[in-house]
C-alpha cells in the first residue's frame, strides 16, 4: 500500500509510533484547552497551538528545550512589545515601523541559528506583534495582553512537557544512539569505497552525504540531551568528538583516495595490500552490529599498519602509510564516541563545541522578506480597519520567518496552503456546525479534536508533515475555541478570508523573493571555504579546529545538494569541498607541529598557509596554483636554520606539501575544463 500512496499508508495502516505521536499530541492539547477554559484565559487556542508545535519532535529533551526557548522568546517579545507601546501608544505608524524593524531582527537571528533557539526568535517576533497590534485597540491593557500571551503559550508548553514525560516517554538519548550508529556505519562504507580507489563519484558522494546528514542532525540534536539527567553532558561531549573525528576521517580518506588513484605507480605492493585489507575491514565493520565486533578487526589492522617499517619509504608512500594509520586510529575513536553516546558512563571523552556556517547575506534577505510581508499586511490593516487583519498579520509574521530557513520554502508554503484549504470545510463542519450543538467539555473535546487527531496522525509521516500540520493548525485558528466562541457564519468567513490573505502573502513573497540563487550560493560557499582557509592560522589552534570542522560539515552538505542539481559531467562542487576539508585539516596538522617553534619558523608557516589558501581559491576557478613550492622551500630553510622538528618529520612535511600541490593542480585541471566554471572573486 505504501508504494501506492503515503496517504493510504498513513491512515489505513498507521504505525504504532504514528498512533502514539497523534495520541500524545492530542492529549496535550486537550489538557491545555481544559486548563485554559478553567482559568478563563483570553485566547485558549494559543495554548493548543503551543502544545502542537512542541510535539512535532516528541522526544523528552527536545520538548523541554523547545518549551524553554518558546517561553523565553515569548517573554522577550512581550517586553519588546510593551516597550514599543510605551513609546508610541498614540502613534500607530511609528509603532508599526519600529515593530517591523524588530521582526526583521528576529528573522535575521532565526536564519543564523540551527537549534530550538531559532524557534525562540520566531516566538519573540510573533509575541511582540500581537502585543503591539492588539494593544492599539486596547491601549490601557497592554500589560494584560502581554501576560495573557505568556500565560497561554506557557500553559501549552507545560502540558506538552507533562504528557510527553508521563505517556510513552521517548528519551532523546535513544535517538542520538541511532543517529551515531548511522553516522559510523555510513562513514565506514565510504572508507571502503575510498580505499578501494573507486572512481564512481556519485556512489562516493551518496555514501558521504548519508553520513554527513545524520552527523549534522546528531550535532544539533545533542544539545537537547542536556535536559535528560545524569550522563547528558557525557553524551554531548561524545557527540562533539564524533563530529570532529568523522570530519578528520573524511579529510584523510579524500587524500588517500587521490594518492591511490592518481599516484598508483609510486605505491608498492605491501601498501596496496594493506589499503585493500583496510577497505574490506571497514566494509565488514559497517555490516556488523555492535561496537566490539567492529573494533576487533580494525584494531588488528591498526597494529599491522604501525608494524610496517617506514624508514626507507619515499615521501608519498610514507604519507600513504601515515594516512592509513590515522584513518584506523580515527575509526577507533569514532567507535569509542559511538559507545559513549549510547552509554556515557563507560567512556569519559573530552571535546569542545563546534561552530557552524552562517550566511549573513541570506539571513539579511530573509529579514527583508519578513519585513516586506509584515509591512504589506500592516498597510492593508491600516487602510481597511479590518479587525481580522490581525490574523493575516500573525500568519505573515509566523510563516515568513518559520519557512525562511528551510531548504525549499516555496514547496513547503504550497503544502501549507493546500492543507489550509482542506481545513476550511473541516473547521466549518466540526468547529461551527457541530460544535455549536455541544454541551459540556467532553462533547466539545470529541468534536474539536477529531480532525486534529487525524491531522496529527498524518503529520507523523515526514512526506505528509506539511499538509497535515497545516490542517491541524488552521483547524484551531479557524475555530478559535474558548469560553465565548462566536459560531456565526460571518465570523468564520472573516477568519477564513484572513487566513487565506495571510498565507497567500507569504507564498507570493517567497515566489517573488525566492532567496539567493543556486549559482550565487555556490560561489559564496566556495568563497567562505577560501576565507576560512586564509584565517586558519590566526585563532588559537583548538578554536580554529572547532570553527573549521563545524562549518565544513555544513558546507559539504550544501555543496552536495547543489551538485545533485547539475548534469553528471559537471558535478565537481563536492570535490572542491572535500579538497578544502583536506587542505584545512592539513593546515591544522602543520600548526599542531610548528606552532611552538621559533618565530621565523612560525612566520614561514603562516606564509605557507596563506599561499595554500590562495592556491585553493585559484584552483577552484580553474587557474593553476602558484607559489606553493617557493613557500614550502622558505619553510624548509627556516627549519634548517632554527630547527624545531626531527628529520623524519621533515620528510613527512615534504610529502604532505607535495601531495597538496598535486591535489590543487588536479582541481585546477578539472575546473579549467568545467563548462560552468566558478567565477567567484577573492573575498
Amino acid at each position: 500500500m505504501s508504494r501506492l500512496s503515503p496517504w493510504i499508508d498513513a491512515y489505513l495502516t498507521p504505525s504504532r509510533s504514528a498512533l502514539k505521536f497523534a495520541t500524545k499530541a492530542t492529549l496535550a492539547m486537550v489538557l491545555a484547552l481544559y486548563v485554559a477554559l478553567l482559568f478563563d484565559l483570553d485566547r485558549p487556542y494559543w495554548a493548543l497551538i503551543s502544545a502542537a508545535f512542541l510535539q512535532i519532535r516528541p522526544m523528552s529533551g527536545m520538548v523541554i528545550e523547545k518549551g524553554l526557548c518558546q517561553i523565553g522568546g515569548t517573554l522577550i517579545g512581550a517586553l519588546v512589545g510593551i516597550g514599543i507601546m510605551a513609546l508610541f501608544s498614540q502613534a500607530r505608524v511609528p509603532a508599526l515601523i519600529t515593530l517591523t524593524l524588530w521582526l526583521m531582527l528576529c528573522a535575521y537571528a532565526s536564519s543564523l541559528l540551527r537549534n530550538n533557539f531559532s524557534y525562540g526568535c520566531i516566538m519573540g517576533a510573533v509575541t511582540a506583534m500581537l502585543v503591539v497590534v492588539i494593544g492599539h485597540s486596547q491601549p490601557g491593557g497592554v500589560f494584560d495582553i502581554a501576560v495573557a500571551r505568556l500565560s497561554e503559550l506557557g500553559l501549552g508548553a507545560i502540558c506538552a512537557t507533562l504528557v510527553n514525560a508521563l505517556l510513552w516517554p521517548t528519551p532523546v538519548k535513544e535517538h542520538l544512539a541511532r543517529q551515531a550508529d548511522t553516522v559510523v556505519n555510513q562513514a565506514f562504507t565510504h572508507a571502503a569505497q575510498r580505499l578501494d580507489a573507486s572512481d564512481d563519484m556519485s556512489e562516493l558522494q551518496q555514501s558521504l552525504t548519508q553520513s554527513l546528514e545524520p552527523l549534522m542532525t546528531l550535532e544539533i540534536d545533542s544539545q537537547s540531551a542536556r535536559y535528560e539527567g545524569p550522563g547528558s553532558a557525557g553524551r554531548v561531549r561524545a557527540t562533539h568528538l564524533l563530529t570532529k573525528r568523522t570530519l578528520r576521517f573524511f579529510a584523510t580518506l579524500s587524500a588517500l583516495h587521490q594518492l591511490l588513484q592518481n599516484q598508483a605507480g609510486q605505491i608498492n605492493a605491501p601498501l596496496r595490500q594493506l589499503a585493500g585489507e583496510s577497505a574490506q575491514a571497514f566494509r565488514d565493520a559497517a555490516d556488523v552490529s555492535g561496537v566490539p565486533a567492529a573494533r576487533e578487526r580494525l584494531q588488528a589492522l591498526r597494529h599491522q599498519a604501525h608494524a610496517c617499517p617506514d624508514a626507507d619509504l619515499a615521501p608519498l608512500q610514507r604519507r600513504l602509510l601515515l594516512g592509513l594509520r590515522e584513518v584506523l586510529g580515527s575509526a577507533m575513536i569514532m567507535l569509542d564516541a559511538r559507545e559513549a553516546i549510547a552509554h556515557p558512563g563507560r567512556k569519559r571523552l573530552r571535546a569542545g563545541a563546534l561552530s557552524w556556517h552562517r550566511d549573513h547575506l541570506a539571513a539579511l534577505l530573509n529579514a527583508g522578506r519578513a519585513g516586506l510581508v509584515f509591512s504589506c499586511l500592516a498597510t492593508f490593516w491600516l487602510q481597511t480597519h479590518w479587525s481580522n487583519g490581525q490574523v493575516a498579520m500573525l500568519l505573515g509574521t509566523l510563516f515568513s520567518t518559520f519557512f525562511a530557513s528551510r531548504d525549499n520554502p516555496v514547496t513547503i508554503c504550497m503544502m501549507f496552503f493546500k492543507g489550509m484549504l482542506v481545513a476550511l470545510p473541516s473547521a466549518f463542519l466540526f468547529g461551527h456546525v457541530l460544535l455549536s450543538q455541544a454541551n459540556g467539555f467532553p462533547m466539545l473535546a470529541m468534536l474539536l479534536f477529531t480532525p486534529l487527531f487525524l491531522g496529527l496522525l498524518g503529520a507523523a509521516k515526514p512526506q505528509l508533515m506539511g499538509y497535515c500540520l497545516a490542517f491541524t493548525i488552521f483547524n484551531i485558528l479557524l475555530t478559535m475555541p474558548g469560553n465565548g466562541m462566536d459560531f456565526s457564519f460571518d465570523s468564520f468567513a472573516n477568519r477564513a478570508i484572513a487566513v487565506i490573505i495571510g498565507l497567500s502573502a507569504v507564498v507570493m513573497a517567497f515566489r517573488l523573493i525566492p532567496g539567493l540563487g543556486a549559482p550565487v550560493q555556490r560561489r559564496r560557499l566556495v568563497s567562505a571555504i577560501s576565507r576560512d582557509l586564509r584565517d586558519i592560522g590566526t585563532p588559537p589552534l583548538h578554536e580554529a579546529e572547532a570553527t573549521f570542522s563545524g562549518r565544513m560539515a555544513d558546507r559539504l552538505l550544501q555543496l552536495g545538494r547543489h551538485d545533485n542539481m547539475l548534469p553528471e559531467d559537471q558535478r565537481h562542487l563536492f570535490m572542491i569541498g572535500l579538497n578544502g576539508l583536506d587542505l584545512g585539516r592539513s593546515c591544522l596538522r602543520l600548526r599542531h607541529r610548528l606552532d611552538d617553534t621559533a618565530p621565523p619558523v612560525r612566520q614561514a608557516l603562516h606564509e605557507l598557509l596563506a599561499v595554500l589558501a590562495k592556491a585553493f581559491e585559484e584552483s577552484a576557478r580553474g587557474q593553476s596554483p602558484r607559489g606553493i613550492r617557493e613557500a614550502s622551500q622558505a619553510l624548509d630553510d627556516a627549519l634548517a636554520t632554527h630547527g624545531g622538528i626531527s628529520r623524519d618529520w621533515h620528510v613527512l612535511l615534504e610529502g604532505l606539501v607535495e601531495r597538496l600541490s598535486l591535489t590543487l593542480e588536479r582541481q585546477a585541471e578539472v575546473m579549467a575544463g568545467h563548462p560552468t566554471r566558478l567565477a567567484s572573486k577573492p573575498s
Side-chain angles (χ1 to χ4, degrees):
M1 286 187 184
S2 60
R3 287 184 295 178
L4 296 176
S5 169
W7 295 98
I8 297 176
D9 196 13
Y11 288 107
L12 296 186
T13 59
S15 64
R16 183 186 298 251
S17 61
L19 289 170
K20 287 181 179 180
F21 166 75
T23 301
K24 288 170 64 174
T26 303
L27 288 177
M29 289 191 291
V30 169
L31 180 61
L33 180 61
Y34 180 80
V35 176
L37 294 176
L38 181 65
F39 288 96
D40 197 22
L41 296 184
D42 186 30
R43 299 168 190 259
Y45 56 87
W46 273 112
L48 273 69
I49 294 175
S50 170
F53 266 108
L54 291 183
Q55 288 288 350
I56 290 177
R57 300 189 71 190
M59 285 166 274
S60 303
M62 292 185 185
V63 172
I64 295 172
E65 183 182 58
K66 195 169 188 177
L68 291 174
C69 291
Q70 176 177 284
I71 294 173
T74 302
L75 178 60
I76 294 172
L79 293 175
V80 171
I82 292 172
I84 293 174
M85 289 301 295
L87 294 172
F88 307 109
S89 59
Q90 301 300 322
R92 183 172 292 185
V93 173
L96 290 175
I97 292 174
T98 307
L99 178 60
T100 302
L101 295 176
W102 168 252
L103 299 182
M104 293 173 66
L105 177 62
C106 290
Y108 176 79
S110 176
S111 299
L112 296 179
L113 298 173
R114 293 305 181 93
N115 47 25
N116 288 320
F117 292 100
S118 174
Y119 181 65
C121 293
I122 296 173
M123 294 312 300
V126 170
T127 306
M129 187 276 297
L130 290 172
V131 171
V132 173
V133 173
I134 299 175
H136 271 290
S137 60
Q138 307 171 29
V142 172
F143 183 77
D144 293 337
I145 294 169
V147 172
R149 298 297 82 75
L150 185 60
S151 301
E152 292 148 6
L153 292 169
L155 174 61
I158 292 172
C159 292
T161 304
L162 184 63
V163 170
N164 190 72
L166 297 179
L167 188 64
W168 301 307
T170 306
V172 73
K173 62 183 181 182
E174 297 176 1
H175 163 72
L176 297 180
R178 290 193 298 270
Q179 293 292 323
D181 284 343
T182 303
V183 168
V184 173
N185 290 338
Q186 290 296 330
F188 284 178
T189 299
H190 182 75
Q193 295 167 352
R194 289 284 185 185
L195 295 177
D196 277 338
S198 172
D199 57 359
D200 189 342
M201 291 307 298
S202 61
E203 183 183 66
L204 289 169
Q205 182 168 323
Q206 180 182 8
S207 62
L208 184 54
T209 302
Q210 287 175 348
S211 182
L212 282 175
E213 286 181 344
L215 183 65
M216 295 289 291
T217 302
L218 176 68
E219 182 64 36
I220 294 171
D221 292 348
S222 66
Q223 303 304 312
S224 303
R226 295 175 294 180
Y227 304 95
E228 291 191 350
S232 58
R235 286 192 178 88
V236 175
R237 290 194 300 269
T239 299
H240 295 330
L241 181 62
L242 178 60
T243 303
K244 289 181 179 180
R245 277 293 173 171
T246 303
L247 290 171
R248 183 182 299 184
F249 185 71
F250 288 146
T252 309
L253 284 171
S254 178
L256 292 178
H257 182 255
Q258 293 180 27
L259 288 176
L260 291 168
Q261 202 172 42
N262 300 328
Q263 309 295 327
Q266 301 182 38
I267 299 173
N268 59 30
L271 285 179
R272 285 199 299 270
Q273 181 179 354
L274 179 60
E277 291 176 358
S278 300
Q280 186 58 47
F282 278 119
R283 191 173 290 107
D284 295 340
D287 295 333
V288 301
S289 58
V291 173
R295 183 192 303 275
E296 184 177 350
R297 174 63 177 145
L298 292 175
Q299 185 69 33
L301 269 174
R302 186 186 181 196
H303 290 316
Q304 182 180 341
H306 280 279
C308 288
D310 57 5
D312 299 328
L313 294 176
L316 281 177
Q317 291 185 352
R318 198 169 184 184
R319 173 52 55 188
L320 175 64
L321 179 58
L322 287 179
L324 289 172
R325 291 173 180 173
E326 183 176 347
V327 162
L328 293 167
S330 294
M332 303 305 297
I333 296 176
M334 290 164 62
L335 292 174
D336 287 342
R338 180 170 74 172
E339 186 174 4
I341 291 171
H343 308 286
R346 298 180 185 176
K347 300 280 184 181
R348 295 187 62 86
L349 305 175
R350 297 182 62 85
L354 299 178
S355 179
W356 297 107
H357 171 72
R358 292 185 171 94
D359 194 329
H360 293 271
L361 180 60
L364 284 171
L365 185 62
N366 292 336
R369 185 193 301 111
L372 179 62
V373 169
F374 178 77
S375 299
C376 292
L377 293 173
T379 302
F380 176 75
W381 176 61
L382 289 174
Q383 295 299 317
T384 60
H385 302 285
W386 182 33
S387 60
N388 277 288
Q390 300 172 5
V391 177
M393 295 164 69
L394 162 68
L395 295 178
T397 303
L398 176 63
F399 292 125
S400 63
T401 52
F402 191 72
F403 295 152
S405 57
R406 301 303 184 267
D407 289 336
N408 197 342
V410 175
T411 301
I412 298 175
C413 280
M414 294 308 301
M415 293 170 71
F416 261 69
F417 197 87
K418 293 174 183 177
M420 177 268 294
L421 293 178
V422 178
L424 290 173
S426 169
F428 182 70
L429 175 63
F430 286 92
H432 286 72
V433 175
L434 298 178
L435 199 60
S436 63
Q437 310 300 317
N439 184 16
F441 184 79
M443 183 63 71
L444 179 148
M446 184 180 70
L447 292 173
L448 177 64
F449 290 102
T450 296
L452 302 188
F453 177 83
L454 293 174
L456 291 167
L457 188 63
K461 207 167 189 62
Q463 305 98 302
L464 308 180
M465 171 73 80
Y467 303 106
C468 296
L469 186 61
F471 176 82
T472 303
I473 292 171
F474 287 115
N475 261 287
I476 298 172
L477 283 174
L478 291 167
T479 303
M480 290 189 176
N483 283 322
M485 293 179 64
D486 183 356
F487 293 107
S488 67
F489 179 77
D490 290 347
S491 174
F492 174 80
N494 267 290
R495 287 198 293 268
I497 293 171
V499 164
I500 292 173
I501 290 174
L503 202 52
S504 297
V506 176
V507 173
M508 290 175 62
F510 278 107
R511 287 194 174 276
L512 294 174
I513 312 174
L516 299 178
V520 176
Q521 290 187 48
R522 291 196 294 264
R523 288 196 295 269
R524 288 184 61 79
L525 285 169
V526 174
S527 296
I529 296 173
S530 302
R531 185 168 57 251
D532 275 2
L533 288 172
R534 289 199 302 271
D535 297 339
I536 206 168
T538 305
L541 184 58
H542 68 279
E543 182 181 328
E545 182 173 6
T547 300
F548 184 77
S549 297
R551 291 175 179 175
M552 282 304 302
D554 197 2
R555 290 166 185 161
L556 280 172
L557 279 177
Q558 294 189 47
L559 287 170
R561 294 191 191 105
H562 287 303
D563 245 8
N564 289 333
M565 295 186 292
L566 294 173
E568 188 77 29
D569 60 339
Q570 298 179 18
R571 295 183 179 179
H572 304 306
L573 296 171
F574 208 62
M575 173 201 71
I576 294 175
L578 282 174
N579 289 342
L581 177 62
D582 175 31
L583 183 58
R585 292 301 318 170
S586 300
C587 292
L588 290 170
R589 190 180 297 115
L590 288 171
R591 283 197 59 188
H592 180 73
R593 286 283 186 173
L594 301 177
D595 262 4
D596 296 329
T597 54
V601 176
R602 292 201 301 272
Q603 178 62 32
L605 171 63
H606 289 164
E607 291 175 0
L608 175 61
L609 298 182
V611 168
L612 288 172
K614 180 68 173 176
F616 171 80
E617 196 166 354
E618 290 173 342
S619 63
R621 299 197 303 269
Q623 302 171 5
S624 297
R626 296 168 295 174
I628 297 178
R629 288 178 173 79
E630 291 80 358
S632 174
Q633 185 60 49
L635 179 59
D636 283 343
D637 295 341
L639 288 170
T641 304
H642 301 280
I645 61 172
S646 65
R647 175 59 188 168
D648 285 345
W649 205 88
H650 196 276
V651 174
L652 293 176
L653 174 62
E654 293 179 359
L656 175 63
V657 174
E658 183 179 355
R659 181 183 64 77
L660 293 176
S661 179
L662 292 173
T663 297
L664 295 177
E665 288 173 1
R666 171 60 180 163
Q667 178 171 289
E669 292 174 4
V670 171
M671 298 308 295
H674 188 197
T676 57
R677 183 187 306 178
L678 288 169
S680 59
K681 296 180 180 180
S683 59

